[in-house]
Amino acid sequence: MTGTAPRADTLPAEWWERLGARLIEGLVFGVFYYILFIALWGVFRTVGWLELFDGRLPGVGASLAAGAGYTGYDWWAHSRGGRTFGKAIMRIRLSPEAPASRAALKRALVYPGALMLIGIPVVNLLAGMLLFAVGLLILMDKPLERGPHDRLAGTRVVKDLR
């Protein structure tokens, strides 16, 4: 009887490793959001537009810009090397290592693409529920722990033991 253990490079990443990677990236892009918010608030105040949309315009603009930046970065990093800086720190990556650009774009538009909508009143509730559902589906999908964005792109997040 020859029992073969699974290859180390195909072990699915744990949920906490994935969450850690997203939190690390969220910190960086959160700082980017606040810098944009402060800059937009200053610009809109100077030109007299701050009253538009009940003063929410700087938050909406910063959310759209930071969310689009994070989505673009996620797509670029995954299509080039299979991991973002958060994944590199947590020692996890995508499998296949460098998915096709189109697959990586689909993945990025589902998550973190929904983050672009977080600053828009009312729509932010739907975006938040989508992001919560993505996390919940990752926890429920055993043994591969793939979310809808992984399934759409045909990828998995695995441990990077190199």
Side-chain angles (χ1 to χ4, degrees):
M1 180 170 140
T2 58
T4 58
R7 289 182 22 200
D9 63 344
T10 61
L11 292 173
E14 300 290 335
W15 67 268
W16 59 268
E17 292 170 317
R18 294 180 72 155
L19 179 62
R22 289 294 185 185
L23 288 175
I24 290 165
E25 294 160 7
L27 250 148
V28 171
F29 281 93
V31 169
F32 179 56
Y33 164 82
Y34 281 109
I35 291 169
L36 278 172
F37 175 80
I38 291 167
L40 288 173
W41 186 84
V43 168
F44 292 149
R45 182 171 177 248
T46 303
V47 298
W49 291 358
L50 196 56
E51 302 82 35
L52 290 176
F53 303 104
D54 196 26
R56 293 187 175 127
L57 195 55
V60 170
S63 176
L64 288 172
Y70 188 19
T71 301
Y73 167 74
D74 192 86
W75 164 72
W76 177 81
H78 284 131
S79 63
R80 298 201 27 112
R83 62 185 184 176
T84 57
F85 65 86
K87 281 185 175 66
I89 291 169
M90 295 304 295
R91 300 196 61 194
I92 58 178
R93 65 174 172 80
L94 285 187
S95 177
E97 194 161 329
S101 182
R102 187 179 194 120
L105 181 60
K106 287 179 193 177
R107 186 180 195 281
L109 286 174
V110 173
Y111 186 77
L115 289 174
M116 287 185 275
L117 307 175
I118 291 292
I120 302 172
V122 180
V123 176
N124 61 0
L125 294 172
L126 297 172
M129 288 189 304
L130 172 69
L131 296 173
F132 181 77
V134 166
L136 201 56
L137 289 170
I138 289 170
L139 289 174
M140 291 172 29
D141 184 52
K142 298 293 181 193
L144 299 179
E145 298 185 16
R146 291 171 41 168
H149 57 306
D150 294 313
R151 290 183 180 282
L152 185 64
T155 59
R156 293 180 18 190
V157 180
V158 297
K159 295 182 183 287
D160 190 7
L161 303 175
R162 307 183 248 166

